[in-house]
Every structure is written in C-alpha cells, then in structure tokens.
Amino acid sequence: MANRTGLTSRSVFTVGFLNPHKMNGNNHGWSEVQLDNGNWVIGDAGFGLAPPEDNQSFFYSERDLLLGPIYFVENDTYIDNMELYVPNTQKITIHTTKMGEDFNDGLIYVLLHYKDKSRGMWLPYQTNESGLAEVNLGIYDGVTYTIGVMNPVATDYAESEISLGHDSNVASIKLDDWKFSKVVINGVLVVLWCIVYIGIIINDRPSEFTKMGNKVGGKLMENRYMNQQIQRRFRKKH
C-alpha cells in the first residue's frame, strides 16, 4: 500500500522477543513507513498497529515485551534499529577467535534470560574477517544474556555470559573453549540421524535401526533453535 501511494517503506523485524507476563515468545516482522516530516511510523498487521495511535514504543511500553535485536533491511544489509524501540540499549562487540586467529563467518546466537525462561535468537549476519560483529541489546530489569558463536562447517561452539549496564562492551569468545551445548547437540544429532537412516537402507534391518532412528528423531523435534533462520540466511548467501 505504501508503494502504491509513493511513500517510502522498509521491512523491520526482531529476531526474537519474550513476553514476561505469559513467559512465551516468538520472532516477528512488520513495516515502517516514512512520512513527509521524515519520521518513521509502524504498520503491523500482526499486532494490528497503525498511526497515529501507535508508534515504536508500543512493544516496550504497552506490551512490556523484552525485545531481542531489531533490524531493518536496506540493500540486502541488516541495519540496527533497536534504539527506536527500546529506550535503554548497549552495543556489544563480539570478538571471536579460534586457535589464536580471528574467526570469520561464525554464526551468532543470543540467548535472553529472564527468571526461569530463556529465548534463543540467531542473528541474521556472521562475524567478519576480523572475527568481529556488533549487536545492540536492550537493557531490562532482571535480564541477562548469553552470546554464543558456532562454526557453520563443524560443531565448534563457545559462549560468553554477559550482563548489560557496565563499562565493558566486548564479548570475547574463543572457539577453542568448546562447549557441549544444545546448539552443538542439534548438529551432532543431525549427523547421527543421517547415519542411522543410511544404515536402514544399506543393511535392511529396520527393527533395531528404526528404534534408534525414532529416538534420535524425537530429540531433533524437541530441539528448536531456529534452524529455519539459518537455512534462509545460507540460501540468500549462496
């Protein structure tokens, strides 16, 4: 509709949010439209939001949502848009190394912790040639974060726990400090499932292999760490 009327619009999304009242969450996308005065207003069919009644403060002040990183897309580039939606934020520089060398193309995972609930979010970009990436996180009462990096061609994964509001704004992650996390488990289970499936075909012994395959398949179904986001990102890149 904005395009038809000649208005400038852009796609905006958050990689995840947590509702502290219902203790559930999801990812979410919407649109912003630029008015003649240069201000951006939101149009969100999912939440039924439209100007002039609603603006960027709705998610934070009206719904009390704990928002993960927010971006808009411009020329296939993800641009931070967090400060329009959350009043207090802090930019964290992620520096990733492996065997003492800067590690690029690392997949970045952010885990938001609130009380006994956590919300995991994959970022839509990776570490650069210097092993660096930046993420802007919201500062909320009672919230801490875990930042993790995974090697996309192996099962290397390491993470660092951070709390915002302090002077330090660097998360140093060494992929040498390998952690047996759910992210890694998911990758290992995929490999195991493939081996089991091939074994069924080659050996034609469905009884034992099927039992094992069902167990592995069940674990895969339980582990939901936004693999669709990774697949979409790699389809765009490759």
Side-chain angles (χ1 to χ4, degrees), residues 15 22 47-48 74 142 159 163 181 201 215-216 219 223:
V15 294
K22 298 181 179 180
F47 279 93
E74 185 175 276
E159 60 189 29
S163 57
S181 68
I201 297 174
K215 289 181 181 179
V216 173
K219 291 295 182 183
N223 192 2

Side-chain angles (χ1 to χ4, degrees), residues 70-158:
I70 298 173
Y71 303 94
F72 67 86
V73 184
E74 185 175 276
N75 298 324
D76 295 326
T77 301
Y78 298 96
I79 301 175
D80 170 52
N81 203 26
M82 193 70 173
E83 293 176 357
L84 279 181
Y85 288 84
V86 181
N88 297 311
T89 66
Q90 184 172 342
K91 292 184 178 180
I92 301 295
T93 299
I94 304 165
H95 184 209
T96 306
T97 59
K98 181 176 174 63
M99 303 298 290
E101 300 291 335
D102 293 332
F103 184 81
N104 68 317
D105 290 336
L107 301 175
I108 306 166
Y109 189 71
V110 175
L111 199 59
L112 182 153
H113 307 285
Y114 178 72
K115 295 184 177 179
D116 60 347
K117 186 72 173 180
S118 296
R119 173 67 189 172
M121 304 163 279
W122 289 103
L123 298 191
Y125 48 85
Q126 296 159 257
T127 56
N128 62 21
E129 293 181 355
S130 300
L132 298 174
E134 189 175 70
V135 58
N136 199 7
L137 300 175
I139 300 176
Y140 311 103
D141 291 337
V143 169
T144 60
Y145 294 90
T146 299
I147 295 179
V149 177
M150 186 170 70
N151 184 346
V153 296
T155 56
D156 308 54
Y157 175 84

